Amino acid sequence: MRNYVSKIKFSNFVNVLRELLEWRYFPFITAVVTLSCYYIGWDLVTIYFICLTVGAMLLLLKDLTPVIPQFLFMNVMISMQNSPLNFGEIVGSDFYTRIENLVIIGIAVCFLAGTMIYRIVALGKAKTFRPNLIFWSLCVLSASFIFNGVGSADYTVKNLLYGLLLSFLFLVVYVLLSSQVELTEENYVKIGVGFLAFSSLLFIELALKYAVDYEKIYASGTLDKQQIIMGWGVWNNCGTFFSICVAPVMLMASKSKRGYLYLIYAAVLVACAFFTGSRQAMLGSSFAFGLCSVALMVKSRTRLVNAIILAVMAVAGIILVIVYREKVLAFIDKIMQNVFNDDGSYSGGGRMRLIKLAIEYFKSNPVFGSGFFSPFESFELTGITNTLFPTFAHNTFAEILGTCGLFGIISYLGYRVITIIGFFRKPTQNKFYIAACILTLLLICMLDNYIFYLLPTLIYSTLIPFATGKQKN
């Protein structure tokens, strides 16, 4: 009798836990935990919370959509106190190189990996995954990652390991998510809420950064972006995350009876992207907001109100530019510095040099490239760059061409064409906003390489099924 009662209690606990993990607003709980631990410096608590919740989702949930918001928060787990970042006057902490901390983190990661392996094995036994064109194109692309740098003079085992890791994030994560999520209205809303919670955390951290370091940020009379540094990244990282949140928030604007509130919030996110000082984020967030604003005018529950708000925003923007013309011109002059050389040729803040370097790497080993650990930059922000993690060409096509050669670039182009076909096969309003989010990330990756940065790669791979799959009515 006692065993029977204990089983009932345990069953009730599991059911309550499952309902909590499936709850649409659970990402806000994660946001509160992550934000609180960020300022206290309890990175290990955040890591364990996210690993345990994702692991529980993999073990208990039939539909894995709730893991997507958790993957978002993985990108912002590192606090300022424990950050390994070395930049300017900031000296990085050795927190993530201490053996005792690595052991503790390793236990959490092993638990998460174990639950993922369990889910993959269960997936294989259930035979619920049906290979499609995206799967086969990912197989070829993953092979090009694995063979990166083969035959080059500087090839090491690190090339193989990094290629295997990227293959896992692109291929295995796609297989797991595409077969374990349902493309329903509710799940698209859950993704939107997840990005809403994630962007709220970003907004609070940026606002507090300005409140505490305002004099440093504007010490020169204009925005000094190099002062926008979080424990988990610099101004470009912060701006990029704001940018990819715009489209999912606009998805919420298209659904809600008070969609105009989400529209206003999306505009705030664009402003936040500008306040990071990241040029690529300014471009990406403006693109996302413009594209999704057109979509809202075509179809949304509050089209008239949205149109009025957008018109007011446009007029207000014009007035502000006129009134603060000198400050605007100074700001534009600041962000355009080092974009062009003295002779007028494009420099892109040194990106053109990296692209030319990638071409040289390609020429030295055309078939498989020179490998991911080809040295692209002369500076390091983390102290672990180019040892555990490679530096990059800051352009997706240049990166793949230089590091993976013809095999890589042909594989990537084929994969990209197939994903585009997947979206246009049966486009829907929901798929559009998720595709806009991915497209924003890919646009920014023409000036950076976030889809190869591992944790942002998780975001990309988990969203692909929702942009290319067949939505249920």
Side-chain angles (χ1 to χ4, degrees):
M1 182 67 180
R2 184 180 300 173
N3 290 336
Y4 179 71
V5 172
S6 63
K7 286 181 180 179
I8 292 176
K9 290 182 178 178
F10 180 74
S11 177
N12 290 338
F13 169 76
V14 171
N15 288 334
V16 171
L17 179 60
R18 183 182 289 112
E19 289 181 9
L20 177 63
L21 295 173
E22 289 179 328
W23 187 34
R24 178 187 292 184
Y25 298 104
F26 183 77
F28 281 97
I29 296 177
T30 304
V32 171
V33 172
T34 305
L35 188 64
S36 301
C37 292
Y38 176 82
Y39 287 107
I40 300 173
W42 289 1
D43 298 28
L44 295 179
V45 174
T46 304
I47 291 171
Y48 265 79
F49 178 82
I50 293 180
C51 285
L52 288 174
T53 52
V54 173
M57 289 173 181
L58 290 167
L59 292 174
L60 300 177
L61 303 187
K62 181 180 179 181
D63 188 297
L64 293 182
T65 302
V67 306
I68 296 175
Q70 300 303 96
F71 286 153
L72 289 174
F73 289 102
M74 281 186 178
N75 289 270
V76 293
M77 296 186 296
I78 301 176
S79 67
M80 202 67 200
Q81 296 97 311
N82 301 321
S83 176
L85 285 173
N86 285 313
F87 191 77
E89 299 177 355
I90 298 175
V91 179
S93 168
D94 65 346
F95 183 87
Y96 286 95
T97 59
R98 297 177 200 163
I99 297 299
E100 63 272 22
N101 290 335
L102 291 176
V103 170
I104 295 172
I105 294 171
I107 294 171
V109 172
C110 286
F111 168 76
L112 180 58
T115 57
M116 187 169 289
I117 291 171
Y118 169 82
R119 190 73 181 225
I120 293 171
V121 171
L123 170 62
K125 289 181 179 180
K127 297 180 180 179
T128 56
F129 176 71
R130 296 179 181 179
N132 54 22
L133 286 176
I134 293 179
F135 167 77
W136 292 118
S137 65
L138 273 173
C139 287
V140 178
L141 181 61
S142 296
S144 74
F145 291 157
I146 293 171
F147 282 98
N148 80 93
V150 168
S152 64
D154 299 323
Y155 182 83
T156 68
V157 69
K158 291 191 298 183
N159 294 78
L160 175 61
L161 294 176
Y162 203 80
L164 286 170
L165 188 54
L166 278 178
S167 298
F168 176 85
L169 294 174
F170 271 87
L171 177 59
V172 178
V173 171
Y174 169 77
V175 170
L176 185 62
L177 265 293
S178 64
S179 58
Q180 300 287 289
V181 297
E182 292 186 359
L183 274 59
T184 61
E185 186 75 15
E186 172 64 16
N187 281 343
Y188 280 100
V189 172
K190 282 184 178 179
I191 293 174
V193 172
F195 274 94
L196 185 65
F198 181 57
S199 64
S200 300
L201 177 147
L202 297 173
F203 176 82
I204 292 172
E205 290 192 9
L206 183 65
L208 289 177
K209 170 65 71 173
Y210 264 84
V212 174
D213 295 331
Y214 181 83
E215 291 184 0
K216 291 182 179 179
I217 295 172
Y218 281 97
S220 60
T222 185
L223 173 62
D224 181 5
K225 65 182 180 182
Q226 295 191 10
Q227 299 299 323
I228 310 295
I229 299 179
M230 310 297 184
W232 39 265
V234 298
W235 58 93
N236 281 338
N237 305 90
C238 189
T240 295
F241 290 146
F242 274 118
S243 298
I244 64 173
C245 289
V246 172
V249 169
M250 296 287 259
L251 182 151
M252 301 295 293
S254 71
K255 302 291 180 186
S256 174
K257 293 179 180 178
R258 296 179 177 85
Y260 52 87
L261 296 177
Y262 291 106
L263 173 60
I264 294 172
Y265 180 63
V268 171
L269 295 181
V270 175
C272 288
F274 273 72
F275 276 110
T276 65
S278 170
R279 291 173 294 197
Q280 60 201 44
M282 295 177 193
L283 174 65
S285 60
S286 299
F287 167 80
F289 188 80
L291 183 64
C292 294
S293 294
V294 173
L296 283 181
M297 294 300 94
V298 174
K299 184 178 181 181
S300 65
R301 299 184 67 174
T302 54
R303 277 189 294 180
L304 178 59
V305 178
N306 289 339
I308 294 172
I309 291 174
L310 288 170
V312 170
M313 287 180 182
V315 172
I318 293 172
I319 293 174
L320 286 173
V321 169
I322 294 173
V323 173
Y324 297 100
R325 181 173 62 257
E326 292 184 2
K327 290 186 177 181
V328 171
L329 291 175
F331 177 73
I332 294 174
D333 181 65
K334 178 77 173 180
I335 65 174
M336 292 302 290
Q337 287 179 6
N338 74 21
V339 173
F340 297 97
N341 296 315
D342 293 337
D343 61 1
S345 60
Y346 175 74
S347 170
R351 286 174 174 80
M352 199 64 220
R353 174 182 63 82
L354 299 177
I355 292 173
K356 291 178 179 178
L357 191 57
I359 294 173
E360 293 302 316
Y361 287 143
F362 164 70
K363 290 179 179 178
S364 67
N365 192 25
V367 179
F368 298 116
S370 294
F372 282 114
F373 284 85
S374 301
F376 278 104
E377 299 187 51
S378 59
F379 63 89
E380 296 183 6
L381 286 175
T382 66
I384 56 176
T385 302
N386 216 26
T387 52
L388 294 178
F389 300 98
T391 52
F392 296 92
H394 285 64
N395 177 280
T396 303
F397 294 103
E399 172 70 19
I400 296 177
L401 185 66
T403 61
C404 299
L406 282 174
F407 187 20
I409 197 67
I410 293 172
S411 301
Y412 180 75
L413 289 173
Y415 164 67
R416 186 55 59 217
V417 169
I418 290 172
T419 55
I420 293 172
I421 292 172
F423 168 74
F424 281 106
R425 184 170 293 152
K426 286 191 176 181
T428 65
Q429 183 185 33
N430 290 326
K431 287 175 64 175
F432 170 83
Y433 287 104
I434 301 302
C437 175
I438 295 173
L439 188 57
T440 301
L441 180 62
L442 293 177
L443 176 64
I444 291 175
C445 284
M446 296 303 292
L447 301 170
D448 216 309
N449 285 103
Y450 287 98
I451 61 170
F452 295 135
Y453 286 175
L454 303 187
L455 289 178
T457 310
L458 270 176
I459 301 174
Y460 168 83
S461 294
T462 54
L463 291 178
I464 281 292
F466 288 88
T468 61
K470 182 179 179 182
Q471 183 180 336
K472 293 186 177 181
N473 295 327

